[in-house]
Amino acid sequence: MKLTGVELRRISMPLVAPFRTSFGVETTRDILLLRAVLDGSGLDGSGLDGPGLDGQSEGWGECVAMSDPLYSSEYVDASVDVLKRFMLPKLFAASHVDGAAVGPLLEPFKGHWMSKAVIETAVLDAELRATGRSFARELGATRDRVPCGVSVGIHDSVGALLESVEGYVSAGYVRIKLKIEPGWDVEPVRAVRERFGDDLLIQVDANTAYTLQDAQHLAKLDDFGLLLIEQPLPEEDVLGHAQLAKLIKTPVCLDESITSARTAAAAIALGACSIINIKPGRVGGYLEARRIHDVCQAHGIAVWCGGMLETGLGRAANIALAALPGFTLPGDTSASDRYYKTDITEPFVLSPDGQLDVPAGPGLGVTPLPGELAAVTTWTEWVPA
Ligand code: NPQ
Ligand code: MG
């Protein structure tokens, strides 16, 4: 099986409301999609053609990079460049490419996890579609629906925040994540806890906005029975998280700091986190995401699936991952309408009890709707082998 060409496509998706975090405000999501075309002879890798394994197969991936390098060092223009200049030529030159081969082939290139993830996902989707297997089955999912949480941005006032949270709780979300930053932390958390009571699952995410000097301040969150505090300190400050974990009662969860199963194992050994947010894009793809799940399970570390404001394409794969047995906390795997009025796939709709169905069809189980896709496309380029 060979990679015979790739379509790169940029889309512009307006958000239903501005989403503010400690690193900035987003009103429109600028997203890179990738469609991989494979020559399907011998798609099972055995060299023997089986039924339905001939001909071309295509698969989709969604890159989670933002336009600007504010969440991590990655950004969309860099992803287009590294894919075209280095990654795609390497894969085009390989005599055999399938989902499992992409990671090892791209291993010489440092970093660029989001770019590695998008091409691996598209190749895996093509392979699984051709052989009738779903992402959920391939990854080892053990559930057919998953409970969902929602990430709530920084608001202009506590009143406006309470109104937003009320809407999400009524929609059925089983867990609320509040984005925090210095000046927007203890008071909004107190207000949400007081208004919705002790039974609501609440966690917070700082996206690296604090330093270890803020430990005594962050300890004020101890009173509110939070599930966790996510990435309070800079990406590189794993040791700082280990020190902070000793100074506060709220469990520390890492997001930005975890870029591989190896960094996850090191953070766990150091005592830097008792929970990990797994985002496939941040760690180079779904296969590495599963390895992190396995490392965490072996160490008794709870994991949950993060989100990067994905369209239905990325959302489908995230929901499949979130159905693995070690994902014991609700993820940021919200419904399509949390972010978008119109999705580019059939929308993911939350059940009244806050669950989403795990896609069961071949590959991702969803494909872009041609009309919706065309309506949001701002640029395309065909890259031939
Ligand atoms: C997080 N996501 O867990 C991220 C951060 C994040 C759902 O909170 C555009 C693209 C805007 C990606 C804002 C959630 C974003 C983004 C926040 C990712 O840290
Ligand atoms: Mg986060």
Side-chain angles (χ1 to χ4, degrees):
M1 175 168 157
K2 289 216 27 141
L3 183 63
T4 58
V6 159
E7 180 190 79
L8 299 175
R9 178 184 291 260
R10 265 171 105 147
I11 62 173
S12 178
M13 299 276 290
L15 298 173
V16 292
F19 186 46
R20 182 171 158 204
T21 65
S22 63
F23 58 75
V25 190
E26 294 284 315
T27 54
T28 304
R29 187 76 172 90
D30 170 25
I31 303 175
L32 174 67
L33 302 180
L34 188 155
R35 182 171 61 91
V37 179
L38 289 104
D39 173 346
S41 62
L43 273 173
D44 59 358
S46 69
L48 302 168
D49 292 352
L53 299 187
D54 279 329
Q56 290 214 322
S57 178
E58 63 174 52
W60 289 87
E62 173 173 346
C63 181
V64 302
M66 304 173 60
S67 321
D68 300 358
L70 298 175
Y71 164 80
S72 72
S73 64
E74 297 185 61
Y75 60 101
V76 180
D77 285 332
S79 186
V80 170
D81 188 72
V82 77
L83 281 161
K84 283 170 60 178
R85 198 185 293 271
F86 301 104
M87 295 182 180
L88 297 179
K90 179 86 181 196
L91 298 175
F92 290 147
S95 56
H96 179 81
V97 170
D98 60 17
V102 172
L105 283 165
L106 300 183
E107 204 265 339
F109 304 123
K110 312 304 185 201
H112 296 282
W113 317 111
M114 295 174 182
S115 306
K116 290 175 178 175
V118 68
I119 181 65
E120 183 192 85
T121 303
V123 170
L124 197 51
D125 184 35
E127 176 190 346
L128 296 177
R129 273 181 211 283
T131 53
R133 294 173 287 158
S134 68
F135 257 69
R137 182 198 131 155
E138 186 67 10
L139 295 173
T142 52
R143 286 171 284 182
D144 57 14
R145 51 206 307 263
V146 294
C148 298
V150 61
S151 178
V152 186
I154 294 166
H155 280 56
D156 290 336
S157 68
V158 167
L161 174 70
L162 291 174
E163 203 175 303
S164 287
V165 172
E166 170 72 45
Y168 294 129
V169 169
S170 324
Y173 286 106
V174 304
R175 176 278 268 157
I176 298 292
K177 165 166 131 180
L178 302 177
K179 290 293 197 176
I180 60 168
E181 66 181 1
W184 182 266
D185 44 33
V186 177
E187 288 322 310
V189 168
R190 182 196 310 282
V192 172
R193 177 56 83 209
E194 281 178 1
R195 166 76 173 270
F196 297 94
D198 288 344
D199 289 344
L200 181 66
L201 302 180
I202 307 174
Q203 62 193 53
V204 294
D205 185 0
N207 288 109
T208 77
Y210 296 88
T211 73
L212 196 53
Q213 312 306 314
D214 297 313
Q216 290 316 309
H217 179 70
L218 292 173
K220 294 180 193 158
L221 294 170
D222 289 350
D223 294 343
F224 303 112
L226 300 179
L227 283 172
L228 59 90
I229 179 170
E230 180 179 347
Q231 198 72 41
L233 309 181
E235 177 181 330
E236 299 78 11
D237 197 7
V238 177
L239 182 59
H241 284 96
Q243 293 167 322
L244 179 67
K246 296 198 179 93
L247 301 172
I248 63 176
K249 293 202 187 84
T250 308
V252 172
C253 171
L254 290 176
D255 173 357
E256 285 89 332
S257 295
I258 305 299
T259 55
S260 63
R262 188 172 277 136
T263 56
I268 293 166
L270 200 56
C273 59
S274 48
I275 300 167
I276 289 179
N277 164 341
I278 302 183
K279 284 179 184 163
R282 198 193 62 228
V283 305
Y286 288 85
L287 301 180
E288 186 72 5
R290 179 174 58 187
R291 288 189 279 271
I292 297 177
H293 162 273
D294 295 349
V295 165
C296 289
Q297 245 192 343
H299 287 276
I301 296 289
V303 304
W304 54 281
C305 183
M308 291 291 279
L309 288 56
E310 289 89 348
T311 71
L313 283 177
R315 202 160 291 286
N318 285 348
I319 294 163
L321 180 70
L324 268 63
F327 284 75
T328 53
L329 291 169
D332 283 343
T333 49
S334 312
S336 297
D337 70 0
R338 158 65 184 88
Y339 295 111
Y340 305 113
K341 186 157 167 283
T342 309
D343 206 335
I344 57 166
T345 63
E346 287 299 331
F348 284 90
V349 179
L350 199 71
S351 71
D353 63 340
Q355 317 258 328
L356 285 177
D357 289 334
V358 178
L364 296 173
V366 297
T367 44
L369 303 167
E372 307 301 345
L373 186 61
V376 294
T377 296
T378 57
W379 171 87
T380 62
E381 183 171 328
W382 173 253
V383 187

